[in-house]
C-alpha cells in the first residue's frame, strides 16, 4: 500500500529505547517501524524523533474566560512545544464542566479551533453527584476535585463526606478521580506580600495531609486516584506505601517544580508573580527529592498545569496575584534541560511526558511511536540552546517565569497524525477509551 510519509532519525525514541529507525505513516497512523536505511521523505539525522507529548493538565478557560486563554492560542502553543494531545481542565471556564450540558458547550467552543487533539476532564463539586456517571458515559477522561478553595467560586471544594461519596460513585463505574490535594485546615492567609510569606502560608504538611486522606479514601472505595501537581516531597513516603500496598494511587509533578526553586523568585522584581502557583515552588532540597520520586516511579507523570490569566491578574504582590504558571510551549525543553543534567535520557522524558500521561487517562492511540498508534511525532533537537523570549510564545498572554532563561532542546517540527501541526487547526475532540 502507498505510504504517506516516512521520517527517519538516528535517535528515534521507541517504547524499547532510543535507536536509529524509520517511521512509516499511512492514513494518519504509524504503519511500520523500519530500519534506518529505509528511503525517507524526511531525514532528521541526529535530531531526535519523539512521540507527541500528552499533557493531561491544561487550563484553557474557554468559554467564559477566553480573555485568559482560548483553544486556538493554547493549542498552537502546545503544537509549538511538541504537545499533540492535551486534556482540558473543567475550570476556569464558564460554565465549568460539571454536567453533560456544560460539556456540550465546551466541545462546541473547541470545535474547529484546535491545532492539536483535545479531550476533557469532568468536575466533581458539591451537588453534582448525579452528573458524574452521565459525564463518564459521554467520554470525559475522569473527574477533578479540590480539597481546598479552587480560586473560583463556581468550582467549590468537596467536604470530606462529599469526597467519600464522589469517590464511591466514580469507583462504581471504574472512573478516575484527579485531586488538587491541599488540606484547607493547614492553609493560612499570607502574612504579607512577599514570596516567603506566600510560601509559608501553604506548607508541605498541607499537601501531605490531603494526600493521606486521598489514600485512605482510595483504600476504602477502590477508586483509581491521581494526585495533581505534587510540589511537596513530604508526600512521597505515603504515596510509595500506598503503591507498594497495591492501591491504585498515582501522582504527577510539573516542570516548574522540577526546574525552579523559591530562591529563583525575586521579591518585588517586575514579573516576579509569574512564579506564583498553588501549591508553591519550594526549596532546592525539595526539588531534588521530587527528582528522586520520578526516578523511583512514585511520581509517574510530568505535565504543565498551564494556568494562564490576564496580565492584570498577575500584577500586585504574592498575596493578591492569580496563582498559575504558563509553560505549555516550554515544558519539554525545561524538563529536558534539567533531566539530562541529572543523568536522565530522552526515553525517560518521553515516559514521563507522553507514555505515562496517556496511560493514566487511557487516551486511545497516543503516547508512543508504535505500529497502530496515531502518527503524532516531534522532531526535537536535544542540543540546541535558546533564550526564552516571551514574544515568541503562542499562548494568549506572554507571561512566564522562564523569561530570559537559557534552555536546551528545541522543537523543530510537530506532526499530528502525520501532518505538520500549528498552522491550520486540525485537532480532533477525544473521548476516553471505551471500557475504561
Amino acid at each position: 500500500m502507498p505510504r504517506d510519509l516516512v521520517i527517519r532519525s538516528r535517535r528515534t525514541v521507541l517504547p524499547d529505547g532510543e535507536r536509529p529507525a524509520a517511521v512509516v505513516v499511512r492514513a494518519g497512523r504509524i504503519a511500520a517501524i523500519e530500519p534506518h536505511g529505509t528511503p525517507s521523505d524526511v531525514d532528521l539525522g541526529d535530531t531526535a524523533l519523539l512521540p507527541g507529548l500528552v499533557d493531561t493538565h491544561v487550563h484553557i478557560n474557554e468559554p467564559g474566560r477566553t480573555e485568559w486563554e482560548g483553544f486556538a492560542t493554547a493549542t498552537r502553543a502546545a503544537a509549538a512545544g511538541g504537545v499533540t494531545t492535551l486534556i482540558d481542565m473543567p475550570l476556569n471556564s464558564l460554565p465549568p464542566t460539571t454536567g453533560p450540558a456544560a460539556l456540550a458547550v465546551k466541545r462546541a467552543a473547541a470545535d474547529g479551533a484546535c491545532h492539536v487533539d483535545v479531550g476533557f476532564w469532568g468536575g466533581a463539586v458539591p451537588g453534582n453527584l448525579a452528573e458524574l456517571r452521565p459525564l463518564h458515559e459521554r467520554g470525559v477522561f475522569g473527574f477533578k476535585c479540590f480539597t481546598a478553595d479552587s480560586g473560583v467560586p463556581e468550582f467549590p471544594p468537596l467536604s470530606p463526606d462529599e469526597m467519600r461519596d464522589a469517590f464511591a460513585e466514580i469507583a462504581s463505574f471504574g472512573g478516575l478521580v484527579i485531586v488538587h490535594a491541599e488540606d484547607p485546615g493547614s492553609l493560612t492567609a499570607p502574612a504579607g506580600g512577599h514570596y516567603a510569606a506566600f510560601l509559608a502560608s501553604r506548607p508541605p504538611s498541607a499537601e501531605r495531609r490531603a494526600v493521606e486522606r486521598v489514600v485512605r479514601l482510595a483504600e476504602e472505595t477502590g477508586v483509581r486516584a491521581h494526585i495533581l501537581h505534587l510540589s511537596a516531597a513530604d508526600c512521597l513516603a505515603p504515596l510509595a506505601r500506598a503503591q507498594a500496598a497495591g492501591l491504585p494511587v498515582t501522582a504527577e509533578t510539573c516542570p516548574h517544580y522540577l526546574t525552579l526553586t523559591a530562591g529563583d523568585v525575586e521579591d518585588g522584581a517586575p514579573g516576579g508573580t509569574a512564579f506564583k502557583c498553588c501549591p508553591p515552588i519550594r526549596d532546592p532540597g525539595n526539588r531534588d527529592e521530587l527528582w528522586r520520586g520520578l526516578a523511583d516511579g512514585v511520581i509517574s507523570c510530568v505535565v504543565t498545569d498551564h494556568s494562564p490569566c490576564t496580565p492584570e491578574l498577575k500584577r500586585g504582590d504574592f498575596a493578591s496575584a492569580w496563582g498559575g504558571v504558563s509553560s505549555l510551549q516550554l515544558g519539554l525543553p525545561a524538563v529536558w534541560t534539567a533531566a539530562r543534567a541529572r543523568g536522565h535520557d530522552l526515553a525517560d522524558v518521553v515516559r514521563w511526558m507522553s507514555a505515562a500521561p496517556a496511560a493514566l487517562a487511557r487516551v486511545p492511540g497516543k503516547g508512543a511511536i508504535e505500529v497502530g498508534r496515531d502518527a503524532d511525532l516531534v522532531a526535537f533537537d536535544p542540543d540546541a540552546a535558546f533564550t526564552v523570549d516571551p514574544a515568541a510564545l503562542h499562548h494568549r498572554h506572554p507571561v512566564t517565569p522562564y523569561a530570559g532563561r537559557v534552555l536546551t532542546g528545541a522543537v523543530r517540527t510537530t506532526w499530528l497524525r502525520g501532518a505538520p501541526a500549528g498552522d491550520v487547526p486540525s485537532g480532533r475532540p477525544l473521548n476516553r477509551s471505551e471500557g475504561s
Side-chain angles (χ1 to χ4, degrees), residues 65-91:
R65 290 191 175 97
T66 311
E67 71 274 13
W68 293 20
E69 184 65 284
F71 285 103
T73 49
T75 58
R76 186 164 184 182
V83 176
T84 52
T85 301
L86 59 82
I87 306 184
D88 177 53
M89 282 291 167
L91 75 163

Side-chain angles (χ1 to χ4, degrees), residues 20-415:
V23 177
V24 178
V25 178
R26 185 181 297 124
R29 292 186 179 271
I30 297 171
I33 309 296
E34 296 190 350
H36 180 262
T38 300
S40 65
D41 302 288
V42 179
D43 186 349
L44 296 178
D46 289 324
T47 295
L49 184 63
L50 316 181
L53 304 190
V54 178
D55 194 337
T56 54
H57 197 147
V58 179
H59 294 267
I60 292 180
N61 307 331
E62 186 177 6
R65 290 191 175 97
T66 311
E67 71 274 13
W68 293 20
E69 184 65 284
F71 285 103
T73 49
T75 58
R76 186 164 184 182
V83 176
T84 52
T85 301
L86 59 82
I87 306 184
D88 177 53
M89 282 291 167
L91 75 163
N92 301 303
S93 56
L94 294 169
T97 315
T98 54
L103 177 63
V105 171
K106 174 76 78 168
R107 283 182 167 150
D111 186 38
C114 297
H115 295 271
V116 302
D117 289 351
V118 176
F120 303 97
W121 296 109
V125 296
N128 84 325
L129 194 67
E131 305 277 23
L132 302 182
R133 186 179 292 268
L135 277 167
H136 178 79
E137 292 170 348
R138 285 162 175 79
V140 300
F141 286 85
F143 300 89
K144 182 174 186 177
C145 70
F146 280 76
T147 60
D149 180 30
S150 72
V152 291
E154 67 276 2
F155 204 98
L158 297 176
S159 70
D161 287 343
E162 289 166 335
M163 281 184 66
R164 183 177 293 104
D165 291 344
F167 280 31
E169 174 66 8
I170 294 166
S172 74
F173 52 74
L176 169 67
V177 62
I178 60 174
V179 186
H180 180 124
E182 289 183 286
D183 174 50
S186 303
L187 305 178
T188 60
H194 294 291
Y195 189 73
F198 170 68
L199 182 60
S201 75
R202 306 186 91 97
S205 59
E207 284 189 76
R208 178 160 181 154
R209 287 169 185 160
V211 166
E212 290 171 339
R213 183 179 304 129
V214 170
V215 168
R216 289 194 298 271
L217 288 175
E219 184 174 24
E220 179 182 330
T221 65
V223 78
R224 196 161 60 101
H226 181 71
I227 303 300
L228 298 169
H229 47 48
L230 189 75
S231 89
D234 285 2
C235 300
L236 294 173
L239 285 169
R241 287 194 295 270
Q243 293 166 1
L247 294 178
V249 179
T250 54
E252 69 187 36
T253 193
C254 304
H256 41 279
Y257 301 128
L258 295 171
T259 63
L260 306 174
T261 71
D264 295 320
V265 185
E266 296 179 9
D267 285 343
T273 52
F275 290 82
K276 183 180 177 180
C277 53
C278 300
I281 296 164
R282 303 189 188 276
D283 62 84
N286 180 87
R287 179 182 61 181
D288 292 343
E289 289 298 320
L290 291 178
W291 279 102
R292 277 189 275 274
L294 263 179
D296 294 342
V298 178
I299 301 170
S300 55
C301 304
V302 180
V303 291
T304 62
D305 189 11
H306 178 71
S307 185
C309 64
T310 61
E312 291 75 19
L313 289 174
K314 271 296 189 185
R315 292 177 185 145
D317 59 25
F318 283 97
S320 60
W322 175 260
V325 169
S326 299
S327 62
L328 187 53
Q329 190 171 332
L330 299 171
L332 176 56
V335 171
W336 171 239
T337 300
R340 79 172 191 169
R342 292 171 179 267
H344 295 288
D345 58 21
L346 283 172
D348 292 326
V349 174
V350 164
R351 183 174 69 255
W352 300 329
M353 302 188 79
S354 185
L360 167 76
R362 299 177 179 171
V363 188
K366 308 295 186 179
I369 298 176
E370 188 173 62
V371 172
R373 302 214 188 195
D374 290 348
D376 296 353
L377 303 165
V378 179
F380 181 69
D381 186 341
D383 299 317
F386 69 98
T387 300
V388 176
D389 177 6
L393 301 178
H394 294 295
H395 60 266
R396 187 173 295 278
H397 302 289
V399 176
T400 177
Y402 294 100
R405 288 178 174 267
V406 177
L407 300 179
T408 302
V411 172
R412 299 304 188 194
T413 308
T414 300
W415 291 272

